[in-house]
Amino acid sequence: MDGELTLQDKKDLDKFIKFFALKTVQVIVQARLGEKICTRSSSSPTGSDWFNLAIKDIPEVTHEAKKALAGQLPGIGRSMCVEISLKTSEGDSMELETWCLEMNEKCDKEIKVSYTVYNRLSLLLKSLLAITRVTPAYKLSRKQGHDYVILYRIYFGEVQLNGLGEGFQTVRVGMVGTPVGTITLSCAYRTNLAFMSGRQLERTPPIMGIIIDHFVDRPYSGSSPLHPCNYRATGEDDAGTFPSVEDSQEVCTTSFSTSPPSQCVFTVSKTHFQTPRPVVMDTLKVPLLGLTFTNQMIVPSKEGGIPVLPLHPAPGTQADHDRMPLCNLTDMNQHVAATPSSSGETELLSKSSEGKSGTPQDTLETTFTRKVGAFVNKPTNQVIAANMDLPFAVFASKIVESEDTDVMVNPPDSPTLESPLHASLHSDQSSGSSGLTQDEFVMVELKPAFSKDDFLPMDLGTFYREFQNPPQLSSLSIDISAQSMAEDLDSLPEKLAIYEKNMEEFDAFVDTLQ
Amino acid sequence: MNCRSQTLELTVEARQIEETVLAVLHTVLLHRSSGKFHYKKEGTYSIGTVGTEDVDCDFVDCTYVRVSSDELDRTLRRSVGEFKDALRNSGSDGSGQISLEFYQKKKSRWPFSDECIPWEVWAFKLNVVNLANEQERQICREKVGEKLGEKIINIIEVMNRHEYLPKMPTQSEVDNVFDTGLRDVQPYLYKISYQITDSLGTSVSTTMRRLIKDTLAL
């Protein structure tokens, strides 16, 4: 057999590379949504799971990826990159990592496209799944929410790593040789988390060190205009949603042969695929609601798809505008619900929800589970000392997370306030102060050498406040002392008589002391 | 054929044993599991779909990905649990090694039993330490999380070298290469064994070698 690629092999290889690129983008973006991902194994091939892996397709992400590719394939000198960045509520942004799908000139002419290349691409996708949970941006993305969001941008062409700062690290996910070149997948990630604006971000742990005033002005208070995107995300019309891309989705029906390699059978049928979005969305409802950015609006789509809608979808140059936010509506609503002062934002969110989706409840449904991060409000775990009448009640029921060094936690409340959360998070937050009226200090991250994680897990501030006003000793109360005085006076003559009777005994005792 | 062997080593606290071992085993098995084979006529077969699931560790600052198969997870947890108990019973500050071995069965003629030929062995050595206070445990949690992430990257690097893999078997020989007993996925045939070393560095008198998977399926 000669080393030249047959037409069928070339066609198959192009298809593999194309769908590998699309699946790569899906894996990376889904890993930065901030939620745990879970897909089901299926013993029977469904025909729509490329590379025999259950990787859901978020339509907007696919659309963005296809738009970036613009009909081309990753090749030699043409790399596909997915850039992940972080944007804070103040508008600071920082690139965190760049995933690169490249091809070099090293060819493997002998390799079998329809079998070996396919299986190795499948293995590479599995590696990508594992490694996306290990890079530093994963932990940041799991804790995104009010204070910052994670964005993604897909571009095609030359790899740009300048935004990663000095000393960025590179990790290679893997390589697959093909007859036309070697596909490599790698990730370059930032190690220096200092903001460009000069704001310092501690590296380990990356979130804990941020001292961001919790009570800053809400950045999304409606100052920036909300612009709808120039295309609808999902829901309206499957066929006409993405006119610039292929109308049909190609289905992968794979069958392999155990016969000698020359008889490998691999069929890829191109069928007009009515994208089963309701099915996909049932198991992967990822309502993403980004916060309002300048010139961008992110709305939950009708079916809860990813509402990634930049105002100016010009690729390459305007990086900020092209970045898509990844955030979870459910968490946002949970967070918003716990902070009543953010009613403005709640309204904004609910309005956008109502406007764009017929059933807001459906959009909130998600199969993801989430661990609450450091900066996301944790309403269920707040210890509200104000509600405890007993001075030592705090010992009885205290829910404390050992890793709770949350700088952003609502400050502990004074005992007199009934609803301390409401009082402390008053809507006038322009000063950026703690907002407390009675307590003068703001809860900061304290690691005292004492009173820490003893048998009574209590933080220093609460301890101090609780014991500032201890109850009066019962023996010092006036009533009791008055009673004992009267009794003493009555019994005095008897005692004197006893002492006189035993006078000799007392004198002997005194003698022994000398 | 030479069996390639990889060794990973980590120092952990006792309560981190289970999660770190599971993270490593699941990461390896993610790469060594396929969908279920469905053989058709004319010698062709199709492959089922493998789902994945993120698992957050409670005592380690790390998340790993495993194959979505509860059966596989239960099997691994059983063997990891035994390893953990043996390690804890050996006393404080001990060490142990748990091995995951992939093998092929080679049919032998009667009266000889089938031969198990390993083609890849992953050895994970754990050194267990005891920590004095919560602050040290918190630091350990983060450090072990980082180290575990490095181990996962090491595993991925080895996996993507594309070294020897058993060739795809015919329907009659699939049980010699794959574990077809699970309902939803099909890992390569594997067995797990472990060895405990006490704090003195010597093997315990009865070196325990527990075979979790029965190789003979007659």
Side-chain angles (χ1 to χ4, degrees):
Chain A
M1 182 170 177
D2 58 11
E4 283 199 15
L5 213 57
T6 64
L7 196 61
Q8 182 61 40
D9 277 349
K10 179 76 173 72
K11 209 173 154 188
D12 288 343
L13 185 61
D14 286 346
K15 239 178 265 290
F16 295 169
I17 293 173
K18 173 189 163 187
F19 281 97
F20 178 76
L22 295 177
K23 288 293 183 183
T24 293
V25 174
Q26 289 287 348
V27 168
I28 293 167
V29 171
Q30 287 176 29
R32 297 291 176 261
L33 290 176
E35 300 290 336
K36 288 203 300 186
I37 308 288
C38 178
T39 57
R40 284 193 190 153
S41 300
S42 169
S43 61
S44 304
T46 59
S48 61
D49 291 323
W50 275 90
F51 308 104
N52 308 117
L53 286 174
I55 299 170
K56 300 296 180 186
D57 285 325
I58 300 173
E60 287 77 8
V61 176
T62 302
H63 179 81
E64 291 298 323
K66 285 181 174 175
K67 205 171 68 172
L69 289 172
Q72 298 181 72
L73 289 177
I76 298 168
R78 300 191 309 272
S79 306
M80 189 189 75
C81 299
V82 181
E83 181 187 283
I84 302 291
S85 56
L86 175 152
K87 189 165 183 177
T88 67
S89 55
E90 281 109 17
D92 293 324
S93 69
M94 180 167 67
E95 283 175 35
L96 297 177
E97 53 188 19
T98 300
W99 298 84
C100 307
L101 178 61
E102 304 172 277
M103 185 179 279
N104 64 33
E105 293 166 352
K106 189 177 173 187
C107 301
D108 185 347
K109 299 281 186 192
E110 304 300 321
I111 201 168
K112 293 298 157 198
V113 170
S114 57
Y115 171 74
T116 308
V117 171
Y118 188 83
N119 285 334
R120 288 184 180 178
L121 288 174
S122 175
L123 193 79
L124 188 52
L125 271 178
K126 290 176 183 174
S127 300
L128 183 65
L129 279 162
I131 212 166
T132 43
R133 276 65 173 169
V134 162
T135 52
Y138 180 73
K139 285 178 199 151
L140 286 171
S141 67
R142 288 292 297 270
K143 295 172 181 175
Q144 66 181 303
H146 169 72
D147 297 302
Y148 68 91
V149 288
I150 304 293
L151 314 178
Y152 77 93
R153 177 173 81 99
I154 307 170
Y155 63 90
F156 193 73
E158 264 191 53
V159 179
Q160 300 158 22
L161 300 178
N162 297 332
L164 293 175
E166 288 180 6
F168 64 87
Q169 299 276 342
T170 304
V171 60
R172 189 165 70 189
V173 184
M175 298 192 306
V176 174
T178 75
V180 299
T182 297
I183 296 169
T184 60
L185 186 55
S186 61
C187 171
Y189 59 91
R190 167 184 285 273
T191 54
N192 175 18
L193 293 179
F195 263 123
M196 295 175 293
S197 61
R199 198 181 277 269
Q200 289 302 313
L201 220 76
E202 283 186 31
R203 193 180 162 206
T204 310
I207 307 304
M208 301 302 175
I210 301 174
I211 309 295
I212 295 177
D213 198 326
H214 185 73
F215 303 100
V216 295
D217 285 344
R218 300 279 170 190
Y220 318 108
S221 54
S223 58
S224 52
L226 305 180
H227 297 283
C229 181
N230 54 3
Y231 65 89
R232 289 292 293 124
T234 60
E236 310 243 309
D237 183 4
D238 285 350
T241 302
F242 308 123
S244 61
V245 299
E246 293 172 7
D247 290 334
S248 64
Q249 180 166 340
E250 293 170 78
V251 172
C252 161
T253 57
T254 61
S255 52
F256 297 89
S257 171
T258 54
S259 317
S262 59
Q263 295 177 10
C264 270
V265 173
F266 183 84
T267 58
V268 176
S269 62
K270 185 172 176 172
T271 61
H272 207 85
F273 194 89
Q274 289 298 321
T275 309
R277 284 204 179 87
V279 176
V280 170
M281 285 303 141
D282 282 342
T283 55
L284 181 78
K285 283 178 188 162
V286 186
L288 293 188
L289 181 74
L291 303 166
T292 306
F293 299 94
T294 307
N295 297 328
Q296 282 184 347
M297 174 178 137
I298 304 93
V299 293
S301 64
K302 214 175 190 178
E303 295 174 353
I306 305 300
V308 180
L309 313 170
L311 175 64
H312 304 294
T317 52
Q318 297 181 15
D320 267 349
H321 292 261
D322 287 334
R323 294 211 179 108
M324 322 304 167
L326 308 165
C327 196
N328 188 290
L329 173 62
T330 307
D331 290 326
M332 281 306 304
N333 279 344
Q334 279 177 2
H335 167 76
V336 167
T339 55
S341 60
S342 60
S343 55
E345 193 175 323
T346 313
E347 271 180 40
L348 177 70
L349 296 179
S350 60
K351 269 184 190 164
S352 60
S353 295
E354 285 161 11
K356 300 297 176 185
S357 64
T359 54
Q361 288 75 17
D362 290 343
T363 64
L364 292 178
E365 189 183 331
T366 175
T367 59
F368 293 150
T369 58
R370 188 180 201 280
K371 262 192 186 176
V372 180
F375 285 117
V376 179
N377 207 333
K378 292 170 279 199
T380 57
N381 287 346
Q382 292 291 335
V383 176
I384 301 172
N387 293 335
M388 297 177 180
D389 295 325
L390 304 172
F392 296 99
V394 68
F395 292 90
S397 58
K398 166 113 181 154
I399 305 168
V400 167
E401 297 177 2
S402 60
E403 295 89 17
D404 188 4
T405 53
D406 192 352
V407 180
M408 307 313 301
V409 72
N410 290 318
D413 313 285
S414 61
T416 56
L417 291 176
E418 195 182 321
S419 53
L421 230 58
H422 291 256
S424 62
L425 295 176
H426 197 262
S427 52
D428 67 321
Q429 299 151 355
S430 55
S431 63
S433 68
S434 65
L436 292 175
T437 53
Q438 293 199 5
D439 293 317
E440 293 300 323
F441 62 86
V442 177
M443 176 67 78
V444 296
E445 183 183 349
L446 275 181
K447 289 190 176 176
F450 53 90
S451 174
K452 159 188 78 158
D453 291 324
D454 293 330
F455 68 99
L456 298 171
M458 177 193 292
D459 64 52
L460 184 63
T462 313
F463 174 89
Y464 181 73
R465 207 168 295 103
E466 281 303 310
F467 290 92
Q468 256 183 331
N469 300 312
Q472 197 175 25
L473 292 175
S474 58
S475 58
L476 295 178
S477 63
I478 296 171
D479 292 338
I480 295 171
S481 61
Q483 279 177 3
S484 62
M485 182 73 81
E487 286 170 4
D488 285 341
L489 285 172
D490 289 340
S491 63
L492 205 54
E494 290 173 18
K495 287 184 184 171
L496 283 172
I498 294 170
Y499 297 151
E500 280 187 22
K501 195 176 160 188
N502 297 327
M503 196 187 302
E504 290 176 5
E505 203 176 312
F506 289 128
D507 288 341
F509 173 71
V510 170
D511 290 337
T512 62
L513 293 176
Q514 291 174 353
Chain B
M1 176 197 63
N2 293 327
C3 167
R4 61 176 177 267
S5 172
Q6 309 293 334
T7 304
L8 307 166
E9 189 166 346
L10 205 58
T11 301
V12 299
E13 208 194 346
R15 63 180 188 170
Q16 296 170 323
I17 294 170
E18 194 163 355
E19 287 179 337
T20 50
V21 176
L22 279 172
V24 165
L25 295 183
H26 271 301
T27 301
V28 172
L29 277 164
L30 170 69
H31 291 80
R32 292 287 180 250
S33 295
S34 165
K36 295 285 286 182
F37 282 17
H38 296 274
Y39 286 92
K40 305 169 189 173
K41 54 187 177 180
E42 299 167 2
T44 61
Y45 62 95
S46 60
I47 306 178
T49 302
V50 173
T52 58
E53 188 174 327
D54 289 346
V55 181
D56 288 335
C57 297
D58 292 324
F59 301 110
V60 182
D61 200 9
C62 188
T63 299
Y64 63 91
V65 179
R66 69 170 178 90
V67 170
S68 283
S69 169
D70 291 338
E71 281 179 82
L72 183 65
D73 187 43
R74 272 196 299 271
T75 307
L76 290 187
R77 283 182 183 272
R78 201 162 45 236
S79 47
V80 170
E82 291 178 13
F83 172 66
K84 181 191 75 174
D85 292 339
L87 202 53
R88 285 182 125 153
N89 292 337
S90 72
S92 63
D93 293 0
S95 67
Q97 179 171 290
I98 185 164
S99 300
L100 173 62
E101 178 186 298
F102 292 100
Y103 64 95
Q104 273 179 271
K105 269 195 270 187
K106 188 178 173 186
K107 295 283 185 196
S108 299
R109 289 182 189 177
W110 183 89
F112 302 105
S113 56
D114 290 345
E115 209 179 334
C116 294
I117 305 172
W119 52 271
E120 187 175 77
V121 176
W122 294 86
F124 189 36
K125 191 176 174 205
L126 283 182
N127 304 310
V128 183
V129 295
N130 278 324
L131 299 174
N133 59 51
E134 197 56 40
Q135 191 180 12
E136 285 183 19
R137 284 194 196 103
Q138 178 63 24
I139 295 169
C140 181
R141 177 194 160 87
E142 291 164 9
K143 281 205 169 144
V144 170
E146 285 178 23
K147 291 288 177 189
L148 187 58
E150 289 173 17
K151 301 303 164 196
I152 290 174
I153 292 175
N154 291 344
I155 293 169
I156 287 167
E157 188 190 355
V158 171
M159 292 296 182
N160 280 274
R161 286 181 199 161
H162 303 303
E163 291 169 329
Y164 170 80
L165 283 178
K167 69 176 183 183
M168 285 301 139
T170 57
Q171 187 170 10
S172 58
E173 292 179 351
V174 68
D175 289 315
N176 295 339
V177 176
F178 287 100
D179 176 3
T180 54
L182 301 175
R183 274 178 303 141
D184 40 17
V185 295
Q186 190 172 289
Y188 282 100
L189 279 174
Y190 71 93
K191 58 177 105 167
I192 297 175
S193 58
Y194 62 84
Q195 188 176 0
I196 306 296
T197 310
D198 65 16
S199 53
L200 297 175
T202 58
S203 295
V204 296
S205 58
T206 53
T207 302
M208 299 165 72
R209 201 166 185 86
R210 306 281 293 270
L211 298 179
I212 309 298
K213 291 292 288 187
D214 190 8
T215 60
L216 297 176
L218 293 173

